[in-house]
Amino acid sequence: MALFDKFKKKAPPPSPPPKPAQDAEDVSVYSHMRVEVTAKDGQMLFVAKLMHPQGHTAELHQYSEAESALLENCSEAEALPVHIRGYHDRLRKAVYMEGFISPQPKHIWLVSHLYVARVGNDRAFFRLDTDLDASITKFSGRNAGEFPCRLRNISVGGARISSRQQYWEGDKLLLTVKLLEDREPSIMYCQVLRVLEREEEDAPFEYGCQFLELNEADQDRITENIFAAQRKSRSGSK
C-alpha cells in the first residue's frame, strides 16, 4: 500500500460547471484586460492583467501585492478556484470569468478551466464614487490656470468633476487627485465631453471628462487605485 500511495497522483481540479452561451465567444478579445481576482468566498487575492487568453487557458500577470494566505497553498497540483472580473475599455462591457489558478515564476499565474460567466453593462462596478479634493489646470484660452475642484467619480476611461470654474465642451484639462492617502497623486490629461449646470453655489458646474493619452502604466495605476479604494470601502462597511 505504501508503494501504491507513493505513485498515486493528486486529483486534478474539478471540471467547470456547464458553460453559458457567452462562452462560445472568442476569449482572446479580452487580452490585456485589467482584472481583479477573488476567491470563491469573495476574498480579494490580487489585481492583474489577463494575458494570452486562448480556449480555456490564460495567464494573469500580477501587478498588485497578494492579499490572502490562500495563495500560499496554491500549486499546480492544487489549483485554486477563482472569480475574475474586469472591464473591457473598447467593448465598454463588464466581464466576469471563472477558472482555476496555479503559480508560475515572476508573479505570473496560469489560469485553467477558464470560461466567461457573464458579460454585462454594469460599468458602475468599475467606477469609483468619490468626493475628493482635486485640481484642474487649463493651460490656455478662457479660464486658463489651476483651480480647485471636486472629484465625484472616476473610472479607467474618465471622471466626473464639479467646479466653480466654467469650461466648455472640447476643453482639455489636467486633473490632479490623490485617490488614496498613502499613494502618490494621479495626474490625468482629459477632455470635457459633457457640461451640466448644478444648483450649488460652491460648485455650479459639473463636467464629464474623458481621459486622453493614458499609457498602460497609467491605466494600471488608476485601476489598481480604484480596486484598492473599493476594497477599503467594503472592509470599512463590514
Side-chain angles (χ1 to χ4, degrees):
M1 282 297 291
L3 182 63
F4 176 77
D5 290 339
K6 182 177 179 181
F7 290 99
K8 186 168 62 177
K9 293 183 178 179
K10 292 184 178 181
S15 299
K19 298 179 287 293
Q22 290 98 326
D23 194 46
E25 66 183 292
D26 182 8
V27 296
S28 65
V29 300
Y30 302 120
S31 182
H32 292 77
M33 184 172 67
R34 291 167 296 279
V35 297
E36 183 183 58
V37 183
T38 59
K40 289 290 187 173
D41 62 0
Q43 287 187 59
M44 175 64 192
L45 299 177
F46 56 84
V47 177
K49 186 171 291 185
L50 185 74
M51 302 294 291
H52 315 304
Q54 186 175 13
H56 299 293
T57 64
E59 291 180 358
L60 292 170
H61 290 208
Q62 179 182 336
Y63 63 81
S64 77
E65 293 299 320
E67 301 192 15
S68 174
L70 284 175
L71 298 175
E72 295 177 3
N73 299 321
C74 183
S75 66
E76 188 174 354
E78 298 183 3
L80 180 69
V82 295
H83 294 292
I84 301 169
R85 70 181 180 102
Y87 181 72
H88 196 284
D89 299 328
R90 182 173 57 81
L91 297 177
R92 297 187 180 277
K93 297 284 186 180
V95 182
Y96 298 84
M97 297 179 171
E98 296 189 22
F100 291 78
I101 62 170
S102 55
Q104 305 292 304
K106 300 180 180 179
H107 298 286
I108 294 175
W109 297 82
L110 178 66
V111 188
S112 61
H113 297 80
L114 177 68
Y115 73 98
V116 178
R118 181 164 61 92
V119 177
N121 292 315
D122 43 349
R123 290 179 291 172
F125 206 55
F126 300 89
R127 182 180 65 238
L128 179 66
D129 289 324
T130 66
D131 187 20
L132 296 174
D133 289 324
S135 68
I136 315 175
T137 303
K138 187 180 181 188
F139 294 101
S140 62
R142 295 174 290 181
N143 286 346
E146 181 178 1
F147 300 96
C149 67
R150 300 293 293 177
L151 179 69
R152 300 299 182 180
N153 65 48
I154 185 171
S155 69
V156 178
R160 180 166 60 90
I161 58 178
S162 59
S163 173
R164 294 177 64 95
Q165 301 303 123
Q166 184 173 10
Y167 301 105
W168 293 265
E169 288 186 20
D171 281 354
K172 295 181 179 179
L173 311 168
L174 196 67
L175 173 65
T176 303
V177 62
K178 180 178 282 193
L179 294 175
L180 293 167
E181 284 297 325
D182 59 346
R183 305 202 178 191
E184 292 295 315
S186 296
I187 302 174
M188 290 81 68
Y189 187 47
C190 58
Q191 184 172 28
V192 176
L193 296 185
R194 295 178 301 279
V195 180
L196 178 66
E197 293 193 24
R198 299 155 44 96
E199 295 182 356
E200 292 189 17
E201 185 176 348
D202 59 336
F205 300 103
E206 187 170 277
Y207 305 101
C209 300
Q210 179 183 20
F211 294 143
L212 304 174
E213 301 177 12
L214 284 183
N215 58 38
E216 283 198 10
D218 293 332
Q219 294 177 13
D220 290 345
R221 187 177 67 254
I222 293 172
T223 302
E224 184 178 356
N225 285 344
I226 289 173
F227 284 150
Q230 286 178 335
R231 293 195 298 274
K232 184 176 180 181
S233 175
R234 290 199 298 267
S235 63
S237 63
K238 290 180 180 179

